[in-house]
Amino acid sequence: MILNSRLILALDVLSRDRALHLATALKDRVDYVKVGYPLILAAGLDIVGEIARIAPVIADLKIADIPNTNTLICEEVLDSGAAGIIAHAFVGRDSLSACVEAAREAGGLVFAVTEMSHPGAEELMGPAAERLARMAADCGVDGVVAPATRPERISLVRSIVGERAIISPGVGVQGGSPSAALKAGADSLIVGRSITESPNPAASADAILREIR
Ligand code: XMP
């Protein structure tokens, strides 16, 4: 995984032109651009390849299906140019392993969600997060997604996943602190609206980069 700026841009915009503009303007400030359902549904899967020509893409499809379907989804999005994928761990070892195998075939990275950053994640995912992190590590993922909104959970996940990467959303609009998340053990921050909805996205990205340097 690339860890230069330690910043991943969450590109949740609905216009192809806006997405390409933001990716181009911010490519030197971020290690990856994370593209998910909002942009892919609005602009089509080709947007993955278009953005990948600007910066490496992590496809955040939170893949969560039976192993065969997971394999098909991973192959499709990795063939489209994604450098990495995000998959759910809660669906089980066989489904997550299918994603790992597909990523290995394509030379891509796979990240497993252990616990999400929003308040509702505390209902069911929180209590299961340690088991999910352990299972993800057993399956051989490259990294996990852990919440910047709960730095203490990042530390716990770090104690389980060892050297594997931890990427953390929840900074800014969701209330998480960039420096606290990194101090707790995150390798990289996933940041969306604080940058994409700013009147000056580059300046907002720079402010985060200054805080974490
Ligand atoms: P904002 O605008 O809140 O965007 O900075 C955050 C981005 O990260 C995604 N997200 C998550 N992805 N596990 C994930 O795999 C999570 O816990 C999680 N929380 C937020 C969100 O969809 C958006 O793209």
Side-chain angles (χ1 to χ4, degrees), residues 10 12 34 60 62 86 113 115-117 145 169 174 192-193:
D12 296 321
K34 185 177 81 65
D60 181 6
K62 295 199 178 65
I86 295 179
V113 179
E115 175 182 341
M116 296 183 71
S117 54
V145 189
Q174 292 187 66
R193 290 164 292 174

Side-chain angles (χ1 to χ4, degrees), residues 3-99:
L3 289 173
N4 292 326
S5 70
R6 304 178 80 186
L7 200 55
I8 297 169
L9 174 67
L11 198 49
D12 296 321
V13 297
L14 300 177
S15 139
R16 172 183 173 274
D17 288 350
R18 177 88 182 131
L20 293 173
H21 172 77
L22 283 168
T24 304
L26 296 163
K27 69 176 163 47
D28 295 330
R29 294 172 170 85
V30 301
D31 293 327
Y32 295 88
V33 173
K34 185 177 81 65
V35 172
Y37 287 106
L39 180 58
I40 292 175
L41 291 174
L45 184 57
D46 286 350
I47 194 70
V48 170
E50 288 190 273
I51 305 238
R53 285 193 280 280
I54 300 168
V57 169
I58 294 175
D60 181 6
L61 298 179
K62 295 199 178 65
I63 303 164
D65 216 308
I66 61 168
N68 182 64
T69 308
N70 274 8
T71 300
L72 296 174
I73 295 168
C74 289
E75 286 175 353
E76 199 63 26
V77 77
L78 290 163
D79 278 357
S80 300
I85 51 166
I86 295 179
H88 266 301
F90 74 81
V91 272
R93 197 173 292 268
D94 51 355
S95 289
L96 186 57
S97 294
C99 296

Side-chain angles (χ1 to χ4, degrees), residues 31-204:
D31 293 327
Y32 295 88
V33 173
K34 185 177 81 65
V35 172
Y37 287 106
L39 180 58
I40 292 175
L41 291 174
L45 184 57
D46 286 350
I47 194 70
V48 170
E50 288 190 273
I51 305 238
R53 285 193 280 280
I54 300 168
V57 169
I58 294 175
D60 181 6
L61 298 179
K62 295 199 178 65
I63 303 164
D65 216 308
I66 61 168
N68 182 64
T69 308
N70 274 8
T71 300
L72 296 174
I73 295 168
C74 289
E75 286 175 353
E76 199 63 26
V77 77
L78 290 163
D79 278 357
S80 300
I85 51 166
I86 295 179
H88 266 301
F90 74 81
V91 272
R93 197 173 292 268
D94 51 355
S95 289
L96 186 57
S97 294
C99 296
V100 173
E101 279 163 34
R104 293 292 162 267
E105 285 279 315
L109 301 168
V110 54
F111 301 91
V113 179
T114 57
E115 175 182 341
M116 296 183 71
S117 54
H118 62 305
E122 294 192 69
E123 289 177 53
L124 293 173
M125 296 191 89
E130 289 176 61
R131 288 173 65 196
L132 293 172
R134 210 164 281 122
M135 194 235 279
D138 286 351
C139 288
V141 299
D142 297 287
V144 297
V145 189
T149 45
R150 292 176 219 105
E152 72 285 359
R153 307 293 296 172
I154 297 177
S155 301
L156 180 65
V157 168
R158 171 58 72 206
S159 72
I160 295 168
V161 302
E163 297 296 304
R164 292 174 208 280
I166 299 180
I167 60 177
S168 292
V171 162
V173 174
Q174 292 187 66
S177 144
S179 49
L182 293 185
K183 205 167 154 208
D187 292 295
S188 193
L189 303 171
I190 298 171
V191 186
R193 290 164 292 174
S194 312
I195 296 174
T196 59
E197 293 183 2
S198 159
N200 188 339
S204 296

